C-alpha cells in the first residue's frame, strides 16, 4: 500500500472522503487529505479536519490494518478494514514522528513519547524528554534510546526510557 498526503481530492474520485479526525472536527475549516492506494491501483481518500495549523511535521503509517496518522497536535488511529475510528489522541505539543515496533505504536511530540496498542489503548506517556522535539534513535529489548531538544537550536540531550513504562533510566540494561 502507498500512502501520501494530498491537498485536494482527485477529480477521478467520486466517493466522499472518510473522516478520521472525529466528529468533533466536522466544523473545522482546515482540511488535509490522504490517499491510500492498494496494489491493485484502487485508492481511498481519508480526511483530517483541523482548526489551526501549527506543525511542519506530518506522517502516516500502516500497522496491519491500522492507519496511524500524525498531524499538527494529534495522532489518529483508524481501522481501514472496519472503517472505524480507534483513537484521536491530542498530544501535549506539536506532532513529531511515528515509530512502529513490536506491534506497538510510539508517537513523539515536542515534549515526549506516547506508547499505544494498535487498538488505540494508551499504555503510557512521558512528556519530560524535551521542550522542542523528541526523536527515538533505537529500540532494545527493554529500552528505548532517543534524544530530546532542551535548548533550541541544537541543545539535544540523550535519554533512555523503559519500554514497558516510559520511565527514564540512568543506565542501560541491554
Amino acid at each position: 500500500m502507498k500512502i501520501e498526503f494530498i491537498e485536494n481530492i482527485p477529480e477521478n474520485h467520486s466517493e466522499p472522503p472518510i473522516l478520521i479526525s472525529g466528529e468533533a472536527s466536522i466544523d473545522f475549516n482546515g482540511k488535509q487529505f490522504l490517499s491510500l492506494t492498494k496494489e491493485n491501483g484502487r485508492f481511498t481518500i481519508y480526511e483530517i479536519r483541523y482548526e489551526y495549523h501549527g506543525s511542519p511535521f506530518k506522517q502516516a503509517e500502516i500497522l496491519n490494518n491500522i492507519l496511524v496518522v500524525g498531524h499538527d497536535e494529534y495522532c489518529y488511529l483508524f481501522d481501514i478494514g472496519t472503517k472505524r475510528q480507534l483513537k484521536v489522541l491530542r498530544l501535549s505539543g506539536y506532532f513529531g514522528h511515528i515509530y512502529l515496533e513490536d506491534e506497538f505504536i510510539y508517537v513523539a511530540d515536542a515534549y515526549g513519547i506516547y506508547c499505544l496498542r494498535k487498538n488505540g489503548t494508551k499504555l503510557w506517556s512521558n512528556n519530560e524528554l524535551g521542550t522542542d522535539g523528541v526523536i527515538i534513535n533505537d529500540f532494545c529489548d527493554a529500552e528505548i534510546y532517543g534524544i530530546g531538544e532542551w535548548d533550541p537550536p541544537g541543545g539535544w540531550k540523550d535519554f533512555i526510557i523503559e519500554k514497558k513504562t516510559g520511565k527514564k533510566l540512568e543506565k542501560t540494561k541491554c
Side-chain angles (χ1 to χ4, degrees):
M1 284 189 238
K2 178 184 172 189
I3 311 166
E4 64 182 321
F5 287 92
I6 56 176
E7 296 305 315
N8 298 300
I9 299 172
E11 290 180 18
N12 63 341
H13 189 72
S14 59
E15 297 177 25
I18 298 170
L19 183 68
I20 64 170
S21 54
E23 292 297 319
S25 71
I26 198 83
D27 292 328
F28 295 161
N29 289 327
K31 293 180 183 178
Q32 174 69 68
F33 299 101
L34 286 96
S35 173
L36 189 140
T37 307
K38 295 184 179 178
E39 288 79 19
N40 63 8
R42 296 190 63 196
F43 64 97
T44 304
I45 303 296
Y46 298 92
E47 179 180 7
I48 296 169
R49 292 199 177 193
Y50 57 91
E51 193 168 13
Y52 307 105
H53 184 58
S55 172
F57 307 112
K58 55 189 173 187
Q59 183 181 352
E61 301 289 339
I62 299 277
L63 177 61
N64 300 328
N65 234 17
I66 308 304
L67 175 61
V68 184
V69 181
H71 184 269
D72 280 330
E73 295 178 358
Y74 290 90
C75 180
Y76 308 101
L77 274 64
F78 189 85
D79 187 318
I80 58 178
T82 63
K83 296 183 179 177
R84 189 171 62 95
Q85 182 184 70
L86 301 174
K87 185 78 165 178
V88 174
L89 175 66
R90 182 163 193 169
L91 306 172
S92 60
Y94 63 81
F95 165 77
H97 303 281
I98 296 167
Y99 303 90
L100 306 177
E101 208 265 337
D102 282 346
E103 296 292 312
F104 292 100
I105 301 161
Y106 298 90
V107 181
D109 69 6
Y111 305 109
I113 298 172
Y114 298 80
C115 177
L116 308 169
R117 290 188 191 274
K118 62 184 177 183
N119 67 2
T121 303
K122 182 172 95 170
L123 298 176
W124 56 260
S125 63
N126 183 333
N127 292 320
E128 297 177 358
L129 301 174
T131 59
D132 191 28
V134 173
I135 296 172
I136 294 175
N137 290 327
D138 200 10
F139 292 93
C140 190
D141 291 338
E143 293 100 25
I144 298 171
Y145 295 83
I147 55 174
E149 188 169 32
W150 285 97
D151 187 18
W156 294 88
K157 293 184 181 176
D158 294 332
F159 65 80
I160 304 168
I161 58 175
E162 288 182 341
K163 226 184 207 184
K164 286 186 178 181
T165 66
K167 292 182 182 173
K168 268 187 141 177
L169 298 171
E170 295 302 317
K171 291 194 235 177
T172 180
K173 293 179 184 176
C174 287

